[in-house]
Amino acid sequence: MNEQAAAPPPLQGIRVVELGNYIAGPGTAMTLGDLGAEVVKLESMEGDMSRHTGHFGHAMLRAYNRSKKSIALDLRKPRGIEIARRLILRADVVVQNLRPGAAESLGLGADALRAMHPGLVHVSISGFPAGAPSRDRPGYDIAAQAESGLMSVTGEARGLPQKVGATIIDAATVQVAAQAVLAALFRRVRTGVGETIRVSLLEVALHLQLPNWSDYLARGVEPTRSGDGQPMNAPAADIFRTRDGMVVVSAYVQSHWVRLCETIGCPELATDARFLTNELRVANRPAMKVAVSERLSRHDTRECVDLLTRNGIVVGVVRSYGDVLAGEDFRSSRMVMDVAPNGDRPGYASFGLPYELCGTPRRRTEAAPAHGAHTEEILRDAGFSDDEAAQLLEAGVVKAAMAAGTAA
């Protein structure tokens, strides 16, 4: 599609103020930015905590803070609160995932701000639901994985519960919170009224396990860890070795199982008494895996993928990050983008939104800003004169990038 004829970004003209750390808050704000919003990252004088947590923290900073403007502001001082409030009252959306109760104690909670700005969409992200006994506990991804039951179903059957190998709850919370903001902005178009949105990592973690929980609520049977297979289906996410690697195969639907058996040259497995139904295959999973593996291990990985795909069987190659990076699917993904340099911050490769708006070209994106990189610019945009900005800097109410240094 001709970019000149394409529509502008859907959130063009929307202003977002973020008071965030790590992933969930910053990621939500960046998602809105990827959709066209202008995002101001309102940081403490110490900065987003990801700036101080080593290589993984810097990875979080790069991943979830593209194309933002950063102001470093001392919220322990009345003038700092005044500046924050002025910025927020000029915005359409505020996103915060500060420690529980912090925004309210600063006078930046939803009730206080929306009383002054009824059209504001205020998003609070916490570890636990607002009315829960644990509402004041700090909540990280790993706590939500543990307390939602997710760890109890992850890992080997006879091993300890395990976390998922990525910060999946934080990442899912980003998408959930952004979805809620879009709904609230659409409602505001219709009614002129903003919204207060509360999202908790625990509730997102529970929702990610909806099939498991749906079965548990109906039958009362605890799901169990099963390593590489799904507890209630087989074969489903089961790993099989090939001559030169590993694949996962999903063929638990009865017609798919019959087709798999025929495809690998063992039609008799479909009528084997041990494997006649999905439930029997679950009960006899080790024997089923041995039987299927014996045939798949005769082929290399590419042959397995071609053979199973040609016959309508779901198959995936178990890849390392290096293998993924070298793969044709990765190289052809439009999600991969080159992030442009931002001031003294070099550019880098990153991921955009995991979907395409086919009538809207992807926006140019810039590297995550240095701490306080846009302090003076943001103050000017908010109506402060150069003299007032200089006084605020001298009084230690704000900090610019030169004073903050270029680290992180």
Side-chain angles (χ1 to χ4, degrees):
M1 178 174 290
N2 187 330
E3 290 192 5
Q4 292 183 340
L11 295 188
Q12 182 173 301
I14 295 294
R15 290 179 171 176
V16 178
V17 171
E18 172 220 310
L19 296 90
N21 291 292
Y22 301 119
I23 294 176
T28 300
M30 191 187 75
T31 297
L32 302 174
D34 280 348
L35 291 170
E38 175 189 344
V39 182
V40 170
K41 185 176 180 69
L42 200 164
E43 302 193 61
S44 70
M45 299 298 264
E46 293 75 30
D48 185 322
M49 290 299 100
S50 66
R51 297 184 186 275
H52 309 288
T53 48
H55 291 301
F56 190 62
H58 291 173
M60 287 190 280
L61 188 73
R62 290 191 298 270
Y64 293 106
N65 291 279
R66 291 182 284 98
S67 291
K68 296 179 184 178
K69 295 179 179 179
S70 169
I71 177 172
L73 189 59
D74 193 343
L75 294 178
R76 296 164 297 188
K77 296 180 178 179
R79 289 301 305 279
I81 297 294
E82 177 190 332
I83 294 168
R85 190 175 290 119
R86 185 187 297 195
L87 293 172
I88 291 169
L89 295 181
R90 296 171 69 247
D92 301 280
V93 180
V94 60
V95 179
Q96 70 91 13
N97 70 328
L98 305 178
R99 59 179 174 77
E104 288 74 17
S105 69
L106 294 169
L108 302 177
D111 291 344
L113 292 173
R114 293 193 59 231
M116 295 180 281
H117 182 0
L120 182 68
V121 175
H122 190 287
V123 187
S124 293
I125 300 172
S126 60
F128 298 90
S134 295
R135 62 185 176 275
D136 294 328
R137 289 170 55 191
Y140 280 27
D141 177 286
I142 189 59
Q145 289 198 37
E147 301 223 11
S148 67
L150 182 58
M151 285 182 66
S152 76
V153 297
T154 306
E156 295 297 330
R158 294 180 177 83
L160 291 173
Q162 299 288 321
K163 68 176 181 66
V164 179
T167 50
I168 189 170
I169 309 305
D170 276 338
T173 299
V174 165
Q175 302 304 325
V176 168
Q179 173 186 318
V181 171
L182 296 178
L185 288 173
F186 185 62
R187 174 178 179 264
R188 193 181 71 172
V189 169
R190 289 177 160 179
T191 68
V193 179
E195 183 62 277
T196 298
I197 298 170
R198 295 171 179 158
V199 183
S200 77
L201 301 186
L202 178 63
E203 289 167 299
V204 172
L206 290 166
H207 197 268
L208 286 177
Q209 303 170 75
L210 196 51
N212 281 4
W213 272 102
S214 181
D215 181 72
Y216 179 74
L217 292 172
R219 296 193 301 134
V221 177
E222 284 275 357
T224 58
R225 293 186 296 284
S226 58
D228 57 311
Q230 292 182 3
M232 293 181 286
N233 296 309
D238 293 276
I239 293 177
F240 298 96
R241 289 196 175 276
T242 66
R243 204 157 49 204
D244 60 349
M246 290 178 285
V247 295
V248 291
V249 174
S250 180
Y252 58 89
V253 174
Q254 192 61 26
S255 60
H256 295 180
W257 167 247
V258 172
R259 194 184 315 142
L260 173 64
C261 296
E262 294 170 347
T263 297
I264 63 176
C266 296
E268 67 277 7
L269 292 179
T271 56
D272 189 309
R274 298 170 296 172
F275 312 136
L276 280 175
T277 67
N278 178 62
E279 288 72 20
L280 286 169
R281 291 191 293 276
V282 170
N284 296 291
R285 188 187 300 270
M288 180 274 297
K289 291 191 66 172
V290 168
V292 175
S293 292
E294 196 279 326
R295 287 305 180 108
L296 291 183
S297 63
R298 301 178 185 182
H299 305 275
D300 64 32
T301 301
R302 183 72 260 170
E303 290 170 345
C304 280
V305 171
D306 289 345
L307 174 65
L308 298 182
T309 300
R310 193 163 57 245
N311 288 278
I313 304 298
V314 175
V315 58
V317 181
V318 180
R319 301 181 188 271
S320 68
Y321 277 37
D323 291 338
V324 174
L325 182 62
E328 294 178 4
D329 292 319
F330 183 95
R331 291 200 301 271
S332 66
S333 172
R334 289 176 56 82
M335 187 172 72
V336 183
M337 59 172 56
D338 291 321
V339 178
N342 184 353
D344 61 358
R345 312 312 292 267
Y348 48 85
S350 191
F351 291 169
L353 295 171
Y355 54 83
E356 287 189 73
L357 300 176
C358 295
T360 307
R362 290 192 183 275
R363 301 179 70 205
R364 179 180 184 274
T365 188
E366 295 182 342
H371 180 208
H374 305 90
T375 293
E376 293 166 284
E377 175 187 339
I378 292 168
L379 290 174
R380 284 195 299 272
D381 289 346
F384 291 92
S385 68
D386 290 345
D387 286 344
E388 288 174 316
Q391 291 168 8
L392 291 167
L393 285 163
E394 185 176 353
V397 176
V398 298
K399 185 162 59 173
M402 185 176 296
T406 58

